[in-house]
Amino acid sequence: MRGRRLFIFLLSAVISVAASAFERPFPSNIKRGSMTPAPYPEIVIDGKSRTLSAGARIWNQDNMIEMPASLRGSLLPVYYTENLEGDIDRVWILTREEQSRPNPK
């Protein structure tokens, strides 16, 4: 019984370490900027008002989807992509580690 508990503990430790080492995959066409949410569907990127596309998604630092209304009043470093109409369709809020790295190619 004791050996089984130890095995489960070690297995969960290995899984949690692997999960924390997850590196988010960013597409090659990303752009970098600073975002401030505005009344939906608008956002402000680098001081310019932009529009979120109909199916836009915003991922937080934990790679979970955030609602634009929950981000009001904050200046956030982000990667983002645009659709063919020039609207913002995907936004990733950067972690401190991701901020220090150069843009992915």
Side-chain angles (χ1 to χ4, degrees):
M1 184 71 168
R2 185 174 172 97
R4 184 175 180 195
R5 286 184 183 169
L6 179 62
F7 175 74
I8 291 172
F9 172 75
L10 291 175
L11 182 62
S12 64
V14 168
I15 290 171
S16 66
V17 168
S20 68
F22 174 72
E23 193 166 316
R24 297 194 284 181
F26 298 110
S28 60
N29 64 333
I30 60 169
K31 296 180 180 182
R32 191 175 195 153
S34 295
M35 179 187 81
T36 302
Y40 184 81
E42 301 294 321
I43 60 172
V44 178
I45 294 186
D46 295 332
K48 297 177 185 171
S49 184
R50 304 290 303 272
T51 304
L52 290 170
S53 68
R57 293 187 200 140
I58 300 173
W59 287 275
N60 66 16
Q61 295 92 335
D62 297 322
N63 216 34
M64 298 181 73
I65 293 179
E66 288 278 346
M67 296 295 115
S70 68
L71 303 172
R72 291 194 192 281
S74 50
L75 183 63
L76 304 164
V78 296
Y79 285 144
Y80 65 95
T81 60
E82 301 170 334
N83 63 15
L84 296 175
E85 289 81 29
D87 295 335
I88 307 298
D89 61 351
R90 294 179 287 178
V91 178
W92 293 267
I93 301 171
L94 301 178
T95 64
R96 290 191 188 275
E97 183 180 321
E98 290 167 342
Q99 291 175 40
S100 64
R101 291 189 215 147
N103 287 2
K105 302 293 181 207

